[in-house]
Amino acid sequence: MRWVRSSSAAGGTRLAVDAAPRVRAGFAPFGFPSGALELAEALAAGAVFLPLILVTTGPGGGLVVLEGHSRLTAYMLVPDLLPPELEVLVGSSPTMTRWDSGTAGDRDAGLPR
């Protein structure tokens, strides 16, 4: 599972598992604390998180986190607390790779600009 855009928090890999040690060492993605450390503490105290929202281009396409980056990073900070199954919401579109995460909308998705 990759983050929706490349992040220096993960050392360029976009993988939450790579971001976890950097966040633990004090790295603040985009110059702001992600809250992942506090979320990991909440997990250890028994918190249950809302589902992550993932997107894909379809069968065989990779999963990318659209919403829930901090929660996913929190799971990677305390991987022993990651449940064997995790409820997620998945959106799928073959045009997903044309989506520009930096805009307010996407013509291909029929959203206003």
XYZ file of all heavy atoms in Angstrom:
815
model
N 0.837 -1.155 0.000
C 0.000 0.000 0.000
C 0.894 1.234 0.000
O 1.799 1.353 0.797
C -0.845 -0.040 1.269
C -2.197 0.493 1.112
S -3.193 0.354 2.612
C -2.973 -1.297 3.156
N 0.631 2.137 -0.911
C 1.438 3.345 -1.029
C 0.622 4.581 -0.683
O -0.584 4.586 -0.805
C 1.979 3.484 -2.450
C 2.927 2.378 -2.825
C 3.522 2.628 -4.195
N 4.397 1.542 -4.579
C 5.676 1.463 -4.250
N 6.232 2.406 -3.524
N 6.414 0.447 -4.630
N 1.317 5.637 -0.278
C 0.675 6.915 -0.049
C 0.286 7.501 -1.387
O 0.883 7.192 -2.413
C 1.609 7.869 0.670
C 1.813 7.552 2.116
C 1.221 6.564 2.844
C 2.675 8.232 3.010
N 1.657 6.598 4.139
C 2.557 7.608 4.255
C 3.538 9.301 2.883
C 3.261 8.034 5.375
C 4.238 9.713 3.988
C 4.096 9.091 5.220
N -0.695 8.394 -1.403
C -1.221 8.948 -2.646
C -0.185 9.758 -3.415
O -0.184 9.763 -4.626
C -2.508 9.770 -2.411
C -2.219 11.093 -1.763
C -3.264 9.967 -3.699
N 0.708 10.435 -2.748
C 1.777 11.122 -3.459
C 3.103 10.812 -2.791
O 3.148 10.432 -1.645
C 1.603 12.627 -3.542
C 0.921 13.254 -2.476
C 0.664 14.713 -2.627
N -0.532 14.821 -1.856
C -1.013 15.875 -1.316
N -0.447 16.991 -1.462
N -2.089 15.862 -0.618
N 4.150 10.997 -3.552
C 5.472 10.731 -3.021
C 5.718 11.595 -1.805
O 5.384 12.766 -1.787
C 6.520 11.023 -4.099
O 7.788 10.710 -3.622
N 6.267 11.020 -0.779
C 6.494 11.773 0.444
C 7.910 11.560 0.937
O 8.404 10.444 0.974
C 5.509 11.330 1.518
O 5.847 11.923 2.747
N 8.537 12.637 1.325
C 9.874 12.529 1.895
C 9.833 11.785 3.224
O 10.839 11.260 3.669
C 10.490 13.911 2.061
O 9.653 14.729 2.830
N 8.654 11.699 3.851
C 8.543 10.955 5.109
C 8.918 9.499 4.913
O 9.443 8.860 5.814
C 7.129 11.051 5.663
N 8.659 8.966 3.730
C 8.952 7.564 3.447
C 10.256 7.412 2.675
O 10.534 6.352 2.122
C 7.798 6.942 2.656
N 11.040 8.459 2.616
C 12.299 8.376 1.900
C 12.115 8.212 0.399
O 12.974 7.685 -0.287
N 10.960 8.644 -0.115
C 10.687 8.574 -1.542
C 10.004 7.308 -2.011
O 9.589 7.220 -3.152
N 9.846 6.296 -1.135
C 9.222 5.035 -1.559
C 7.711 5.090 -1.559
O 7.069 4.256 -2.183
C 9.634 3.871 -0.642
O 9.059 4.072 0.654
C 11.138 3.711 -0.560
N 7.118 6.039 -0.831
C 5.671 6.160 -0.629
C 5.106 5.015 0.207
O 3.903 4.828 0.253
C 4.937 6.270 -1.967
C 5.278 7.517 -2.735
C 4.675 7.582 -4.125
N 3.283 7.196 -4.159
C 2.700 6.676 -5.229
N 3.374 6.488 -6.332
N 1.430 6.353 -5.205
N 5.940 4.239 0.896
C 5.482 3.125 1.720
C 5.427 3.554 3.191
O 6.412 4.052 3.736
C 6.410 1.920 1.571
C 6.486 1.317 0.177
C 7.566 0.235 0.128
C 5.142 0.752 -0.236
N 4.286 3.312 3.827
C 4.119 3.681 5.234
C 5.119 2.960 6.120
O 5.605 3.525 7.108
C 2.697 3.394 5.696
N 5.450 1.737 5.782
C 6.415 0.977 6.586
C 7.784 1.667 6.584
O 8.525 1.595 7.564
C 6.501 -0.497 6.117
C 7.158 -0.615 4.753
C 7.209 -1.352 7.148
N 8.112 2.377 5.501
C 9.374 3.116 5.438
C 9.283 4.451 6.165
O 10.286 4.985 6.633
C 9.784 3.347 3.983
C 10.159 2.064 3.267
O 10.480 1.061 3.945
O 10.113 2.047 2.021
N 8.083 4.997 6.258
C 7.897 6.281 6.943
C 7.959 6.136 8.455
O 8.407 7.049 9.146
C 6.561 6.904 6.539
N 7.511 5.000 8.977
C 7.399 4.830 10.427
C 8.698 5.137 11.177
O 8.671 5.927 12.137
C 6.886 3.428 10.762
N 9.854 4.571 10.801
C 11.067 4.896 11.566
C 11.461 6.364 11.458
O 11.978 6.942 12.415
C 12.149 3.998 10.966
C 11.522 3.186 9.899
C 10.086 3.560 9.790
N 11.190 6.975 10.323
C 11.526 8.391 10.158
C 10.613 9.257 11.034
O 11.068 10.224 11.643
C 11.421 8.784 8.687
C 12.473 8.093 7.820
C 12.250 8.398 6.353
N 12.302 9.838 6.126
C 13.230 10.469 5.425
N 14.182 9.786 4.845
N 13.197 11.765 5.281
N 9.319 8.920 11.091
C 8.385 9.653 11.944
C 8.767 9.462 13.408
O 8.774 10.405 14.198
C 6.933 9.211 11.670
C 5.977 9.744 12.727
C 6.500 9.656 10.279
N 9.135 8.232 13.776
C 9.549 7.957 15.160
C 10.777 8.789 15.529
O 10.926 9.229 16.667
C 9.850 6.467 15.337
C 10.244 6.122 16.773
C 10.464 4.641 17.000
N 9.170 3.989 17.145
C 8.698 3.046 16.324
N 9.420 2.644 15.298
N 7.528 2.502 16.520
N 11.647 9.055 14.548
C 12.867 9.829 14.794
C 12.608 11.332 14.808
O 13.520 12.119 15.020
C 13.914 9.497 13.734
N 11.344 11.739 14.571
C 11.005 13.146 14.670
C 10.735 13.846 13.355
O 10.461 15.050 13.337
N 10.801 13.127 12.238
C 10.523 13.747 10.949
C 9.062 14.180 10.884
O 8.168 13.425 11.252
C 10.832 12.774 9.802
C 10.623 13.382 8.447
C 11.609 14.162 7.868
C 9.435 13.194 7.762
C 11.417 14.738 6.623
C 9.231 13.763 6.518
C 10.228 14.533 5.952
N 8.814 15.388 10.430
C 7.456 15.917 10.295
C 7.147 16.068 8.808
O 7.667 16.970 8.161
C 7.330 17.252 11.008
N 6.314 15.177 8.240
C 5.990 15.277 6.823
C 5.404 16.643 6.475
O 4.552 17.162 7.201
C 4.931 14.180 6.612
C 5.118 13.245 7.761
C 5.633 14.084 8.891
N 5.889 17.228 5.400
C 5.421 18.532 4.919
C 5.608 19.631 5.967
O 4.928 20.648 5.936
C 3.956 18.458 4.462
C 3.696 17.356 3.485
C 2.975 16.232 3.868
C 4.194 17.416 2.197
C 2.752 15.196 2.972
C 3.982 16.385 1.294
C 3.248 15.281 1.684
N 6.515 19.405 6.924
C 6.806 20.404 7.939
C 5.819 20.449 9.099
O 5.914 21.299 9.967
N 4.847 19.531 9.113
C 3.846 19.486 10.181
C 3.837 18.101 10.801
O 3.900 17.105 10.088
C 2.438 19.782 9.623
C 2.312 21.141 9.031
C 2.453 21.323 7.664
C 2.060 22.241 9.829
C 2.343 22.583 7.096
C 1.948 23.511 9.271
C 2.093 23.677 7.901
N 3.718 18.007 12.121
C 3.614 16.686 12.743
C 2.375 15.960 12.203
O 1.319 16.559 12.029
C 3.454 16.988 14.230
C 3.866 18.407 14.401
C 3.662 19.089 13.088
N 2.523 14.680 11.934
C 1.412 13.913 11.351
C 0.414 13.429 12.397
O -0.701 13.061 12.054
C 1.962 12.698 10.601
O 2.520 11.781 11.525
N 0.842 13.389 13.644
C -0.020 12.836 14.683
C 0.082 11.323 14.778
O -0.588 10.706 15.608
N 0.924 10.715 13.948
C 1.032 9.254 13.927
C 1.539 8.699 15.256
O 1.094 7.629 15.681
C 1.923 8.794 12.774
N 2.442 9.412 15.910
C 2.957 8.917 17.200
C 1.835 8.864 18.239
O 1.700 7.884 18.968
C 4.108 9.786 17.694
C 5.398 9.706 16.875
C 6.375 10.782 17.325
C 6.013 8.327 16.984
N 1.016 9.910 18.273
C -0.101 9.934 19.214
C -1.139 8.870 18.856
O -1.729 8.236 19.736
C -0.759 11.319 19.221
C 0.119 12.407 19.815
C 1.181 12.952 18.858
O 1.208 12.588 17.666
O 2.011 13.752 19.312
N -1.352 8.657 17.562
C -2.283 7.611 17.135
C -1.766 6.227 17.504
O -2.545 5.353 17.890
C -2.544 7.713 15.628
C -3.344 8.932 15.185
C -3.381 9.020 13.664
C -4.756 8.897 15.752
N -0.451 6.014 17.407
C 0.125 4.733 17.812
C -0.087 4.509 19.312
O -0.393 3.392 19.746
C 1.612 4.684 17.458
N 0.049 5.571 20.103
C -0.215 5.462 21.540
C -1.688 5.123 21.783
O -2.005 4.330 22.666
C 0.153 6.765 22.252
C 1.641 7.035 22.300
C 1.979 8.406 22.857
O 1.067 9.143 23.310
O 3.168 8.756 22.838
N -2.569 5.728 21.007
C -3.996 5.439 21.136
C -4.285 3.982 20.785
O -5.091 3.328 21.457
C -4.808 6.382 20.248
N -3.628 3.466 19.742
C -3.788 2.049 19.397
C -3.378 1.168 20.571
O -4.066 0.203 20.903
C -2.931 1.684 18.179
C -3.502 1.977 16.807
C -2.449 1.712 15.733
C -4.740 1.142 16.559
N -2.246 1.502 21.172
C -1.751 0.716 22.307
C -2.735 0.756 23.479
O -2.802 -0.189 24.264
C -0.382 1.238 22.737
N -3.517 1.839 23.563
C -4.500 1.969 24.635
C -5.852 1.361 24.255
O -6.802 1.440 25.024
C -4.674 3.444 24.991
N -5.926 0.764 23.053
C -7.143 0.068 22.652
C -8.038 0.793 21.660
O -9.154 0.349 21.385
N -7.578 1.916 21.114
C -8.392 2.660 20.151
C -8.660 1.830 18.904
O -7.852 0.985 18.509
C -7.695 3.963 19.765
N -9.800 2.082 18.296
C -10.167 1.469 17.021
C -10.350 2.610 16.031
O -11.052 3.579 16.319
C -11.470 0.647 17.146
C -11.886 0.082 15.812
C -11.298 -0.451 18.184
N -9.726 2.497 14.865
C -9.762 3.569 13.878
C -10.845 3.346 12.835
O -11.254 2.216 12.568
C -8.423 3.679 13.149
C -7.271 4.104 14.019
C -5.984 3.760 13.665
C -7.450 4.838 15.178
C -4.900 4.146 14.440
C -6.385 5.233 15.962
C -5.103 4.882 15.580
N -11.255 4.455 12.229
C -12.145 4.386 11.077
C -11.398 3.727 9.907
O -10.165 3.723 9.881
C -12.584 5.798 10.666
C -13.472 6.532 11.658
C -13.658 7.979 11.227
C -14.802 5.833 11.804
N -12.125 3.190 8.934
C -11.455 2.542 7.800
C -10.598 3.521 6.998
O -10.924 4.697 6.871
C -12.615 2.041 6.931
C -13.809 2.029 7.812
C -13.580 3.087 8.847
N -9.508 3.009 6.457
C -8.698 3.766 5.509
C -9.478 3.835 4.201
O -10.291 2.953 3.903
C -7.369 3.054 5.242
C -6.470 2.755 6.439
C -5.283 1.915 6.008
C -6.012 4.033 7.094
N -9.223 4.860 3.407
C -9.812 4.946 2.077
C -8.685 4.756 1.073
O -7.702 5.512 1.076
C -10.530 6.290 1.853
C -11.653 6.455 2.888
C -11.076 6.372 0.426
C -12.361 7.790 2.825
N -8.818 3.720 0.266
C -7.795 3.355 -0.718
C -8.357 3.485 -2.117
O -9.572 3.396 -2.322
C -7.344 1.905 -0.491
C -7.021 1.502 0.940
C -6.693 0.020 1.014
C -5.873 2.327 1.481
N -7.477 3.686 -3.100
C -7.886 3.722 -4.498
C -6.984 2.801 -5.306
O -5.865 2.502 -4.913
C -7.852 5.159 -5.073
C -8.906 6.030 -4.410
C -6.484 5.784 -4.933
N -7.522 2.353 -6.448
C -6.783 1.479 -7.344
C -7.287 1.686 -8.769
O -8.372 2.246 -8.977
C -6.937 -0.007 -6.940
O -6.136 -0.812 -7.799
C -8.385 -0.468 -7.002
N -6.510 1.222 -9.726
C -6.935 1.279 -11.123
C -7.746 0.049 -11.500
O -8.250 -0.026 -12.603
C -5.726 1.387 -12.062
O -4.842 0.304 -11.801
C -4.999 2.717 -11.878
N -7.859 -0.914 -10.607
C -8.645 -2.116 -10.875
C -7.880 -3.370 -10.497
O -6.820 -3.300 -9.867
N -8.406 -4.548 -10.867
C -7.737 -5.810 -10.536
C -6.289 -5.798 -11.016
O -5.997 -5.413 -12.149
C -8.558 -6.859 -11.279
C -9.901 -6.228 -11.479
C -9.636 -4.754 -11.634
N -5.403 -6.159 -10.129
C -3.979 -6.165 -10.456
C -3.300 -4.829 -10.231
O -2.078 -4.735 -10.251
N -4.089 -3.772 -10.031
C -3.514 -2.459 -9.751
C -3.133 -2.374 -8.280
O -3.735 -3.021 -7.433
N -2.134 -1.600 -7.974
C -1.730 -1.433 -6.586
C -2.738 -0.603 -5.814
O -3.539 0.127 -6.392
N -2.726 -0.732 -4.511
C -3.583 0.067 -3.644
C -2.809 1.297 -3.174
O -1.654 1.199 -2.779
C -4.035 -0.748 -2.431
C -4.990 -1.895 -2.731
C -5.180 -2.756 -1.493
C -6.326 -1.365 -3.229
N -3.479 2.447 -3.218
C -2.877 3.707 -2.790
C -3.793 4.324 -1.744
O -5.013 4.349 -1.908
C -2.701 4.670 -3.988
C -2.160 6.010 -3.538
C -1.793 4.051 -5.042
N -3.206 4.820 -0.661
C -3.985 5.448 0.406
C -4.411 6.837 -0.052
O -3.576 7.678 -0.364
C -3.165 5.564 1.707
C -3.979 6.249 2.797
C -2.707 4.198 2.162
N -5.701 7.064 -0.092
C -6.238 8.383 -0.404
C -6.462 9.162 0.888
O -6.187 10.349 0.962
C -7.556 8.246 -1.178
C -8.248 9.544 -1.557
C -7.396 10.331 -2.543
C -9.615 9.247 -2.153
N -6.962 8.486 1.927
C -7.235 9.122 3.213
C -6.917 8.126 4.319
O -7.310 6.969 4.251
C -8.711 9.532 3.287
C -9.035 10.565 4.354
C -9.109 9.970 5.757
O -9.560 8.830 5.923
O -8.690 10.665 6.703
N -6.146 8.573 5.302
C -5.787 7.706 6.413
C -4.288 7.488 6.545
O -3.840 6.546 7.182
N -3.494 8.391 5.958
C -2.035 8.256 5.993
C -1.490 8.163 7.419
O -0.656 7.313 7.711
C -1.373 9.432 5.276
C -1.726 9.529 3.838
N -2.919 10.071 3.411
C -1.056 9.152 2.737
C -2.957 10.019 2.097
N -1.848 9.464 1.659
N -1.980 9.017 8.301
C -1.486 9.009 9.685
C -1.893 7.731 10.407
O -1.104 7.166 11.169
C -1.992 10.231 10.451
O -1.434 11.408 9.908
N -3.118 7.267 10.163
C -3.555 6.016 10.797
C -2.727 4.838 10.302
O -2.312 3.980 11.095
C -5.048 5.790 10.545
C -5.915 6.847 11.192
C -7.396 6.522 11.164
N -7.952 6.197 9.871
C -8.407 7.083 8.988
N -8.330 8.376 9.258
N -8.937 6.689 7.851
N -2.463 4.782 9.005
C -1.649 3.698 8.468
C -0.233 3.756 9.035
O 0.339 2.731 9.411
C -1.616 3.754 6.938
C -0.768 2.685 6.260
C -1.248 1.282 6.616
C -0.774 2.892 4.750
N 0.324 4.953 9.120
C 1.661 5.102 9.701
C 1.655 4.671 11.165
O 2.599 4.021 11.632
C 2.153 6.553 9.561
O 2.125 6.920 8.171
C 3.572 6.710 10.089
N 0.592 4.985 11.895
C 0.484 4.552 13.292
C 0.529 3.032 13.390
O 1.206 2.475 14.266
C -0.804 5.091 13.915
N -0.188 2.343 12.503
C -0.130 0.874 12.498
C 1.300 0.384 12.250
O 1.737 -0.599 12.841
C -1.050 0.292 11.427
C -2.502 0.224 11.811
C -3.460 0.893 11.060
C -2.939 -0.520 12.907
C -4.814 0.827 11.387
C -4.284 -0.590 13.245
C -5.212 0.082 12.484
O -6.539 0.014 12.813
N 2.024 1.073 11.379
C 3.401 0.662 11.080
C 4.341 0.966 12.248
O 5.374 0.329 12.399
C 3.904 1.353 9.809
C 3.146 0.988 8.544
S 3.140 -0.789 8.170
C 1.502 -1.260 8.705
N 3.960 1.931 13.099
C 4.766 2.229 14.291
C 4.610 1.152 15.360
O 5.511 0.945 16.168
C 4.360 3.590 14.868
C 4.827 4.804 14.062
C 4.085 6.054 14.502
C 6.335 4.986 14.201
N 3.456 0.486 15.382
C 3.197 -0.602 16.334
C 2.617 -1.796 15.549
O 1.453 -2.153 15.728
C 2.264 -0.154 17.485
C 2.992 0.733 18.475
C 1.025 0.552 16.951
N 3.420 -2.401 14.674
C 2.894 -3.434 13.774
C 2.309 -4.646 14.494
O 1.445 -5.331 13.931
C 4.101 -3.811 12.913
C 5.294 -3.354 13.677
C 4.842 -2.175 14.487
N 2.723 -4.886 15.728
C 2.157 -6.010 16.472
C 0.684 -5.770 16.824
O -0.041 -6.714 17.153
C 2.971 -6.292 17.740
C 3.160 -5.054 18.605
O 3.548 -4.005 18.065
O 2.929 -5.150 19.819
N 0.220 -4.514 16.720
C -1.177 -4.198 16.992
C -2.033 -4.172 15.721
O -3.236 -3.957 15.794
C -1.285 -2.852 17.717
C -0.605 -2.790 19.086
C -0.760 -1.401 19.689
C -1.171 -3.847 20.018
N -1.409 -4.395 14.579
C -2.149 -4.445 13.318
C -3.022 -5.689 13.313
O -2.527 -6.798 13.464
C -1.171 -4.473 12.143
C -1.748 -4.412 10.733
C -2.478 -3.100 10.506
C -0.648 -4.591 9.711
N -4.332 -5.516 13.178
C -5.213 -6.690 13.213
C -4.986 -7.583 11.987
O -4.507 -7.109 10.949
C -6.617 -6.091 13.203
C -6.466 -4.710 12.706
C -5.066 -4.272 12.996
N -5.337 -8.868 12.082
C -5.147 -9.778 10.939
C -5.974 -9.343 9.729
O -5.606 -9.611 8.594
C -5.599 -11.139 11.448
C -6.145 -10.940 12.809
C -5.880 -9.536 13.248
N -7.094 -8.681 9.979
C -7.921 -8.119 8.906
C -8.217 -6.679 9.266
O -8.466 -6.358 10.426
C -9.223 -8.901 8.753
C -9.017 -10.308 8.240
C -10.331 -11.026 7.978
O -11.417 -10.417 8.188
O -10.277 -12.188 7.586
N -8.207 -5.822 8.250
C -8.421 -4.406 8.468
C -9.499 -3.926 7.503
O -9.388 -4.119 6.290
C -7.110 -3.652 8.208
C -7.043 -2.183 8.557
C -7.238 -1.975 10.058
C -5.707 -1.606 8.136
N -10.554 -3.347 8.036
C -11.614 -2.828 7.188
C -11.124 -1.582 6.457
O -10.555 -0.673 7.059
C -12.844 -2.476 8.032
C -14.003 -1.970 7.207
C -15.227 -1.640 8.038
O -15.198 -1.807 9.266
O -16.211 -1.194 7.435
N -11.311 -1.557 5.143
C -10.945 -0.418 4.315
C -12.069 -0.146 3.315
O -12.891 -1.026 3.045
C -9.616 -0.643 3.554
C -8.453 -0.867 4.511
C -9.730 -1.787 2.575
N -12.092 1.047 2.797
C -12.989 1.398 1.704
C -12.118 1.540 0.460
O -11.067 2.187 0.517
C -13.721 2.703 1.991
C -14.538 2.742 3.282
C -15.075 4.145 3.534
C -15.672 1.738 3.222
N -12.540 0.946 -0.659
C -11.723 0.970 -1.870
C -12.517 1.559 -3.027
O -13.639 1.124 -3.310
C -11.235 -0.449 -2.252
C -10.407 -0.414 -3.532
C -10.426 -1.065 -1.120
N -11.926 2.558 -3.676
C -12.482 3.120 -4.897
C -11.642 2.641 -6.062
O -10.425 2.506 -5.950
N -12.284 2.364 -7.182
C -11.573 1.828 -8.336
C -11.989 2.535 -9.612
O -13.180 2.754 -9.853
C -11.870 0.327 -8.450
O -11.236 -0.213 -9.592
N -11.000 2.901 -10.424
C -11.252 3.497 -11.727
C -10.026 3.269 -12.602
O -8.900 3.498 -12.157
C -11.513 4.997 -11.608
O -11.550 5.584 -12.900
N -10.223 2.827 -13.834
C -9.077 2.655 -14.717
C -8.383 3.980 -15.039
O -7.244 3.993 -15.475
C -9.669 2.023 -15.980
C -11.127 2.233 -15.900
C -11.472 2.430 -14.461
N -9.053 5.117 -14.786
C -8.439 6.423 -15.049
C -7.797 7.016 -13.794
O -7.395 8.180 -13.809
C -9.483 7.412 -15.610
O -10.501 7.616 -14.633
C -10.086 6.910 -16.908
N -7.683 6.250 -12.744
C -7.144 6.761 -11.478
C -5.746 7.354 -11.646
O -5.411 8.338 -10.987
C -7.115 5.650 -10.426
C -6.871 6.140 -9.029
S -8.097 7.305 -8.410
C -9.535 6.278 -8.296
N -4.933 6.816 -12.521
C -3.574 7.335 -12.683
C -3.559 8.721 -13.318
O -2.551 9.407 -13.241
C -2.717 6.387 -13.531
O -3.344 6.208 -14.804
C -2.528 5.048 -12.844
N -4.661 9.137 -13.922
C -4.736 10.468 -14.527
C -5.211 11.509 -13.525
O -5.234 12.693 -13.830
C -5.664 10.446 -15.744
C -5.109 9.573 -16.836
C -5.782 9.773 -18.163
N -7.209 9.999 -18.118
C -8.103 9.288 -18.795
N -7.724 8.285 -19.542
N -9.379 9.592 -18.731
N -5.605 11.077 -12.327
C -6.088 11.987 -11.315
C -4.939 12.826 -10.776
O -3.879 12.304 -10.449
C -6.747 11.195 -10.195
C -7.309 12.029 -9.104
C -8.258 13.000 -9.224
C -6.982 11.964 -7.720
N -8.547 13.542 -7.997
C -7.777 12.923 -7.054
C -6.106 11.192 -6.976
C -7.709 13.127 -5.693
C -6.036 11.391 -5.612
C -6.841 12.355 -4.988
N -5.134 14.110 -10.646
C -4.121 15.017 -10.117
C -4.502 15.378 -8.696
O -5.446 16.126 -8.470
C -4.036 16.272 -10.992
C -2.998 17.252 -10.482
O -2.365 17.010 -9.440
O -2.820 18.276 -11.139
N -3.772 14.836 -7.722
C -4.119 15.052 -6.315
C -3.918 16.493 -5.873
O -4.326 16.860 -4.789
C -3.299 14.121 -5.415
O -1.923 14.436 -5.526
N -3.321 17.325 -6.714
C -3.089 18.704 -6.332
C -4.169 19.661 -6.785
O -4.047 20.857 -6.596
N -5.240 19.149 -7.389
C -6.307 20.024 -7.866
C -7.559 19.826 -7.055
O -7.738 18.834 -6.378
C -6.630 19.757 -9.359
O -7.136 18.435 -9.478
C -5.411 19.939 -10.231
N -8.493 20.748 -7.195
C -9.753 20.656 -6.463
C -10.706 19.661 -7.116
O -11.676 19.255 -6.510
C -10.406 22.025 -6.377
N -10.466 19.301 -8.337
C -11.357 18.379 -9.027
C -10.657 17.709 -10.194
O -9.525 18.000 -10.492
N -11.374 16.843 -10.866
C -10.797 16.095 -11.966
C -11.841 15.995 -13.076
O -12.903 15.439 -12.875
C -10.386 14.698 -11.474
C -9.689 13.866 -12.532
O -9.810 14.182 -13.725
O -9.034 12.902 -12.139
N -11.514 16.531 -14.221
C -12.443 16.481 -15.343
C -12.842 15.054 -15.671
O -13.979 14.784 -15.984
C -11.823 17.115 -16.578
C -11.943 18.608 -16.613
C -11.227 19.105 -17.796
N -9.824 19.077 -17.398
C -8.881 19.774 -17.956
N -9.137 20.526 -18.968
N -7.655 19.728 -17.521
N -11.883 14.118 -15.622
C -12.184 12.724 -15.958
C -13.186 12.108 -14.997
O -13.911 11.191 -15.340
C -10.904 11.879 -15.981
C -9.948 12.342 -17.065
O -10.449 12.727 -18.149
O -8.743 12.339 -16.827
N -13.226 12.589 -13.765
C -14.154 12.053 -12.777
C -15.473 12.827 -12.773
O -16.365 12.517 -12.013
C -13.518 12.080 -11.382
N -15.581 13.851 -13.621
C -16.792 14.639 -13.682
C -16.937 15.633 -12.555
O -18.023 16.145 -12.291
N -15.849 15.942 -11.867
C -15.897 16.896 -10.759
C -15.573 18.293 -11.272
O -14.757 18.452 -12.174
C -14.894 16.502 -9.673
C -15.111 15.127 -9.045
C -13.984 14.804 -8.089
C -16.445 15.080 -8.320
N -16.190 19.328 -10.721
C -15.913 20.693 -11.186
C -14.506 21.128 -10.817
O -13.960 20.691 -9.824
C -16.970 21.518 -10.447
C -17.320 20.733 -9.248
C -17.152 19.285 -9.636
N -13.958 22.003 -11.617
C -12.645 22.578 -11.325
C -12.814 23.897 -10.644
O -13.673 24.653 -10.862
C -11.827 22.753 -12.596
C -11.306 21.440 -13.079
C -10.059 21.713 -13.910
N -9.557 20.453 -14.357
C -8.557 19.793 -13.780
N -7.953 20.265 -12.754
N -8.143 18.658 -14.246
